[in-house]
Amino acid sequence: MSRVLIAGESWITQSTHIKGVDHFTASSYVVGVGPLRTALESRGHEVVHLPAHLVPAEFPDDPSGYDVVVLSDIGANSIQLSPQVFEQARPGADRLGALRSWVEGGGGLLMVGGYLSFTGFEGKAAFRNTALHEALAVELLPEDDRVELPAGGTAAVTGASHPALGGVSGEWPALLGYNRTRPRPGTEVLATLNGDPLVAVAEYGRGRSAVFTSDCSPHWAPTAFCEDWDGYAKVFGGLVEWLAG
């Protein structure tokens, strides 16, 4: 059993309702970590979820209490800019630098795709210019890296025998988009989508790093992928177990 920290995978939506000359706003809070958390817990892992709005204040300065850290749809700014730094203008911890050093020393890092992963929507995820970039299994693009596949795209598995895929077999359900990246030298690309890396793994120092460049929940991962498919738990379970060594 591994202890896994998942940071991100939640969001707050605010909408404006206009009715004639009157209008009002409404807000909702959504947690998207459910499929991933259920899949990992079903394989015996202990999962700690840190929702996106708590990441700036509570992301650990030292992740050594975990075997695997998963970053999913949470941008670099949310990790780096603690309230101490952003609101009080006082020096704080370089948490992405600490995370890179932790991976180099033997930790396991997984980045999952989304609008605020990798480079992200309008470049706002912004991991390319951080210390963590060199620990990722892929090279990030300098521009908005999203590829939308509204008609759906099916993964091509290139490394079916690798333990990080958890023994999954057969055709994968369609995905609706991903973050485009480039493999680094030494990276093993285990599955592609539209010819680009979907699942890739690499060693980094004494640790391990992996990416899943599409979503682990809607909208890029439809229900058929993240809830109905028995391969979902195999893929993400395999990734976490490989990362944990």
Side-chain angles (χ1 to χ4, degrees):
M1 182 185 76
S2 298
R3 193 160 191 257
V4 182
L5 173 65
I6 303 175
E9 274 308 315
S10 71
W11 57 92
I12 297 169
T13 300
Q14 186 175 71
S15 57
T16 300
H17 301 248
I18 301 173
K19 299 183 177 182
V21 298
D22 297 305
H23 73 277
F24 63 90
T25 58
S27 301
S28 62
Y29 174 61
V30 182
V31 177
V33 77
L36 181 57
R37 182 172 201 160
T38 298
L40 297 181
E41 289 179 342
S42 74
R43 294 172 71 95
H45 301 294
E46 178 188 351
V47 177
V48 176
H49 178 224
L50 188 59
H53 66 283
L54 297 181
V55 167
E58 298 184 15
F59 192 88
D61 295 347
D62 177 5
S64 60
Y66 300 95
D67 300 297
V68 177
V69 172
V70 181
L71 303 181
S72 185
D73 218 356
I74 185 74
N77 285 328
S78 294
I79 299 172
Q80 286 288 67
L81 299 181
S82 67
Q84 173 181 329
V85 174
F86 189 63
E87 299 170 11
Q88 301 167 22
R90 294 189 292 118
D94 178 2
R95 296 190 293 201
L96 289 178
L99 186 58
R100 179 195 63 188
S101 297
W102 171 78
V103 177
E104 190 173 23
L109 172 68
L110 172 61
M111 183 173 285
V112 179
Y115 273 34
L116 281 169
S117 296
F118 301 100
T119 300
F121 178 75
E122 296 179 346
K124 290 179 179 177
F127 282 98
R128 189 173 187 268
N129 294 325
T130 71
L132 192 64
H133 185 201
E134 68 181 56
L136 297 178
V138 290
E139 180 79 24
L140 307 188
L141 302 185
E143 68 274 2
D144 188 320
D145 59 2
R146 294 167 304 125
V147 178
E148 303 286 355
L149 299 173
T154 303
V157 177
T158 54
S161 63
H162 196 287
L165 289 185
V168 69
S169 61
E171 185 172 291
W172 296 21
L175 292 161
L176 301 181
Y178 66 99
N179 298 89
R180 175 173 282 147
T181 62
R182 301 188 182 99
R184 295 180 184 273
T187 293
E188 293 182 79
V189 178
L190 307 183
T192 63
L193 187 58
N194 205 32
D196 296 314
L198 173 62
V199 181
V201 300
E203 307 280 344
Y204 183 72
R206 296 194 302 275
R208 291 174 169 181
S209 181
V211 298
F212 182 88
T213 62
S214 189
D215 228 326
C216 63
S217 64
H219 81 281
W220 279 346
T223 300
F225 185 92
C226 64
E227 295 184 20
D228 300 338
W229 181 45
D230 63 1
Y232 180 93
K234 293 179 181 178
V235 170
F236 282 102
L239 282 166
V240 163
E241 287 148 26
W242 181 82
L243 288 167

